[in-house]
Amino acid sequence: MLSPAPQMTAKTSAGVSTRTSRVSLTRGTPLTQTSKGSRVVLRKPSLQTKCSVADTASSKSKEPVLEVTSAFSPATVANLGPGFDFLGCAVEGQGDTVTARLLPDRPGEVVIEDIQGDGGRLSYEAADNCSGIAAIETLKLLGVSDMGIGISLNKGLPLGSGLGSSAASAGAAAWAVNALYGCPLSKAELVPAGLVSEAYVSGYHADNIAPAIMGGFVLIREYEPELLLERLEFGGNSPLWFVVVTPKFEAPTREMRAALPKDVSMAQMTLNATAAASLVTGIMSGDAAMLGKGLNSDSVIEPARGPLIPGFFDVKKAAIENGAFGCTISGAGPTVVAIVDSKDNGVKVAEAMINAFGTKGNLEVNCAAVVQLSTDGAHSCEPDYCAVSDSAVFVK
């Protein structure tokens, strides 16, 4: 029997008719995966091959247990300096919320019913929307073809911010659809659904979507011939604090990727390898200073992208001079992230970074916060869920 949840219905603007679009569940192929503890092995998707859910389902369709539910997925910091495309983490604070509801009269369809917080920029076509694609792929993983899904997306993350905006939408959608069916899939098992969405939007990389769903730090150990993910536990007893500062400047992932060098020298490779080793060692040992130093020492990606973010190098200098262990670009930018030893020092560092963006980059700051690592990742919530924990401090 379905459990109705009227208090979790999607919000729409009063007096405005809801726009909808639909897509048949024939996009792409599901990723085959196996799990081994915190490690998950994924087969790379083929986005060109079309097949129906019925063709890919390996078992009888599951029965839903809810009529409507909502899920939240947090912001993520990808790359962490030298960990380009192979390391990322989830952080508390902002994120996206998706409400998913059953559409029994529209089997085999995903319908984008409402989008809030995007300024009218995102597509209502499910096949061109991160949350829609993730919902489609989650239904495939569930083996469901006899039910449609309505999606309402509330964007809490700005587009092109370097905080995994597309991954947050995909992660929230994947978990919400999974929750409608009683959460038969684990978080690791949902990563394939979000990865198809990421591949369509910004490229085949899992350093945002994996932590957005799984939480914590996630290491991508291998991309070819299989995708190997490893969740890393931060080894420290004290909280790990991040300063996250987002200026009013957009840096689309595809454009920022185009700025990257095609080749690197042996010296650069060696420097980045040692920095990445320090980064991972710092995570596993719980040594925030070592983690910060590794994060601070990217000699390949940051030098290429830094000049494209007005004032970045001055912002980084201000963070270090005011006590940060390390500072770098979050994802493709323009958000800048720093590692600090405490909440109070984080506020001081954030204020210095805001000032540097204004005086050196001539940029206003959209948001600045001192937050902790998010170990939860995607999870069920109320539609109006506020993701800010008691420990987070918003400086601006």
Side-chain angles (χ1 to χ4, degrees):
M1 178 181 296
L2 297 181
S3 300
Q7 74 279 11
M8 302 180 74
T9 54
K11 295 180 178 179
T12 57
S13 300
V16 179
S17 60
T18 303
R19 290 179 291 168
T20 64
S21 65
R22 70 182 190 179
V23 60
S24 175
L25 300 181
T26 57
R27 181 180 182 81
T29 56
L31 297 177
T32 303
Q33 62 85 40
T34 58
S35 297
K36 299 178 181 179
S38 62
R39 185 177 306 165
V40 60
V41 183
L42 311 176
R43 305 289 195 265
K44 188 172 181 179
S46 173
L47 299 180
Q48 289 73 41
T49 303
K50 290 188 175 182
C51 57
S52 69
V53 174
D55 291 336
T56 60
S58 59
S59 61
K60 184 179 178 181
S61 293
K62 296 177 174 60
E63 294 297 323
V65 298
L66 294 172
E67 292 180 347
V68 59
T69 191
S70 297
F72 172 85
S73 188
T76 48
V77 175
N79 302 339
L80 294 165
F84 178 70
D85 274 7
F86 68 81
L87 186 63
C89 70
V91 294
E92 294 182 343
Q94 298 168 292
D96 287 2
T97 304
V98 167
T99 296
R101 69 184 186 97
L102 300 178
L103 300 177
D105 58 338
R106 306 184 72 166
E109 296 178 12
V110 168
V111 180
I112 305 295
E113 298 182 317
D114 187 44
I115 305 176
Q116 299 291 327
D118 69 323
R121 297 174 58 187
L122 296 179
S123 174
Y124 273 74
E125 294 294 330
D128 296 318
N129 183 290
C130 297
S131 60
I133 296 171
I136 291 168
E137 295 300 321
T138 302
L139 287 176
K140 289 182 180 180
L141 291 174
L142 290 169
V144 173
S145 59
D146 59 353
M147 181 66 69
I149 301 292
I151 294 292
S152 295
L153 170 63
N154 189 343
K155 289 294 298 176
L157 288 172
L159 279 63
S161 61
L163 288 171
S165 177
S166 60
S169 297
W175 188 257
V177 173
N178 185 45
L180 287 175
Y181 287 84
C183 298
L185 299 173
S186 69
K187 289 183 176 181
E189 291 170 330
L190 283 175
V191 171
L195 187 55
V196 174
S197 174
E198 288 287 88
Y200 177 79
V201 174
S202 60
Y204 184 74
H205 55 89
D207 49 345
N208 283 116
I209 189 60
I213 294 177
M214 298 169 64
F217 288 97
V218 180
L219 172 70
I220 293 84
R221 294 179 54 229
E222 187 175 301
Y223 276 98
E224 298 288 351
E226 297 174 336
L227 181 68
L228 304 179
L229 303 178
E230 192 90 28
R231 193 176 189 279
L232 305 181
E233 298 295 333
F234 181 65
N237 294 320
S238 301
L240 179 62
W241 291 98
F242 299 80
V243 177
V244 182
V245 180
T246 306
K248 293 182 179 179
F249 180 81
E250 192 165 314
T253 301
R254 289 191 184 277
E255 293 181 18
M256 297 299 277
R257 279 184 173 267
L260 300 181
K262 303 300 181 184
D263 300 289
V264 298
S265 67
M266 182 67 73
Q268 286 176 304
M269 185 200 73
T270 302
L271 286 172
N272 256 38
T274 56
S278 295
L279 187 62
V280 173
T281 302
I283 294 169
M284 299 296 287
S285 64
D287 188 333
M290 181 183 292
L291 191 166
K293 185 175 181 179
L295 174 144
N296 197 64
S297 304
D298 175 27
S299 63
V300 176
I301 307 303
E302 185 182 290
R305 287 176 168 171
L308 302 180
I309 302 172
F312 165 71
F313 293 106
D314 294 293
V315 172
K316 177 168 182 166
K317 180 181 179 182
I320 299 301
E321 288 180 347
N322 281 273
F325 290 134
C327 179
T328 192
I329 302 168
S330 175
T335 294
V336 180
V337 60
I339 303 294
V340 293
D341 61 354
S342 68
K343 182 194 298 186
D344 290 342
N345 192 41
V347 172
K348 176 185 175 183
V349 170
E351 291 173 342
M353 293 169 70
I354 292 170
N355 182 64
F357 261 128
T359 59
K360 302 298 184 179
N362 197 30
L363 291 178
E364 294 182 11
V365 167
N366 183 47
C367 182
V370 183
V371 297
Q372 295 186 54
L373 185 71
S374 170
T375 57
D376 291 339
H379 57 85
S380 297
C381 68
E382 297 292 330
D384 56 354
Y385 174 72
C386 179
V388 182
S389 69
D390 293 336
S391 62
V393 176
F394 280 80
V395 182
K396 183 178 177 61

